Amino acid sequence: IKDFRGPDFFVVLNVDGERVRQGWVVWEESGRYPDVTIELMSSSTAQIDTGIKKQIYGEIFRTPDYFVYHPFDPNSLKGWRLQHGKGYQELERNERGWLWSESLGLWLGNWSGTINKVTTTWLRFYAPEGNLVLLPRELEKQRADAAQQQADLEKQRADAAQQRAEYLAAKLRELGENPDL
């Protein structure tokens, strides 16, 4: 529907995450609007995303943090923070070109890599200290890799202990002792 003005991506904080929803319906959620909205722009939507949608999110939704990003233009990231009585104020990028989301307590910035076999520059979240916030699949792989490293380390330790035991047994035999007793 061409009149639809819903966000591409949004976050609503402090809600029941266990409740099954088919969508977010404000009047079924005690009037809660998003705390953070991100619009993925295209050449045909950029004017709407930075115009009427920005106005709706600021004046009607009162969304504290609003970001826009064109996936094919890594330098297009812009963001605004709603200031009481002043409307949206544009955010300044840090030295990495990232923008701070006060609502989320996270940075939003570019990341080059592969997700689902697609290698490109992606818009990703970063922790306050600058570490990439991993996607569930990335976190699962990281945990599996760490478990495998731990298993490899324990095998190396067991092999080293076995080699030491064999060495000591051989030395005892050289001295005429029976190591099996």
Side-chain angles (χ1 to χ4, degrees):
I1 301 171
K2 71 177 186 173
D3 292 331
F4 180 70
R5 298 279 186 243
D8 291 326
F9 174 86
F10 65 92
V11 176
V12 183
L13 300 169
N14 304 315
V15 295
D16 180 4
E18 300 295 317
R19 188 171 140 213
V20 177
R21 298 172 173 88
Q22 289 189 342
W24 188 264
V25 182
V26 171
W27 55 88
E28 292 177 1
E29 302 289 347
S30 303
R32 287 294 312 277
Y33 284 93
D35 294 291
V36 178
T37 296
I38 300 172
E39 288 291 352
L40 300 177
M41 298 187 299
S42 67
S43 299
S44 64
T45 66
Q47 194 170 20
I48 293 168
D49 292 334
T50 58
I52 187 68
K53 280 190 174 183
K54 182 178 161 205
Q55 182 181 357
I56 289 169
Y57 299 148
E59 296 175 10
I60 298 171
F61 287 20
R62 310 291 300 154
T63 300
D65 292 341
Y66 179 54
F67 301 93
V68 295
Y69 180 73
H70 191 302
F72 299 109
D73 180 1
N75 296 317
S76 67
L77 179 62
K78 287 186 175 183
W80 296 268
R81 175 81 182 157
L82 195 60
Q83 300 295 322
H84 184 69
K86 297 181 181 178
Y88 276 130
Q89 300 298 305
E90 190 163 356
L91 298 171
E92 301 262 342
R93 293 175 184 235
N94 72 359
E95 65 281 353
R96 294 177 175 168
W98 301 348
L99 296 176
W100 179 251
S101 171
E102 190 172 319
S103 297
L104 297 176
L106 296 172
W107 292 101
L108 188 60
N110 293 331
W111 174 81
S112 294
T114 304
I115 299 176
N116 295 332
K117 300 180 183 175
V118 177
T119 301
T120 191
T121 300
W122 300 91
L123 188 61
R124 297 287 299 266
F125 290 111
Y126 293 87
E129 67 279 357
N131 297 327
L132 182 68
V133 174
L134 299 179
L135 299 171
R137 185 177 294 167
E138 292 169 323
L139 190 56
E140 182 180 305
K141 182 178 180 337
Q142 184 182 61
R143 287 181 182 150
D145 290 349
Q148 183 60 51
Q149 287 176 350
Q150 183 65 32
D152 292 347
L153 182 60
E154 290 188 23
K155 182 173 179 350
Q156 288 173 357
R157 287 181 182 152
D159 290 347
Q162 179 66 31
Q163 288 174 353
R164 280 193 302 276
E166 290 170 4
Y167 172 79
L168 290 173
K171 284 295 183 188
L172 286 171
R173 282 190 204 95
E174 285 177 16
L175 297 170
E177 297 292 326
N178 184 356
D180 297 325
L181 293 179

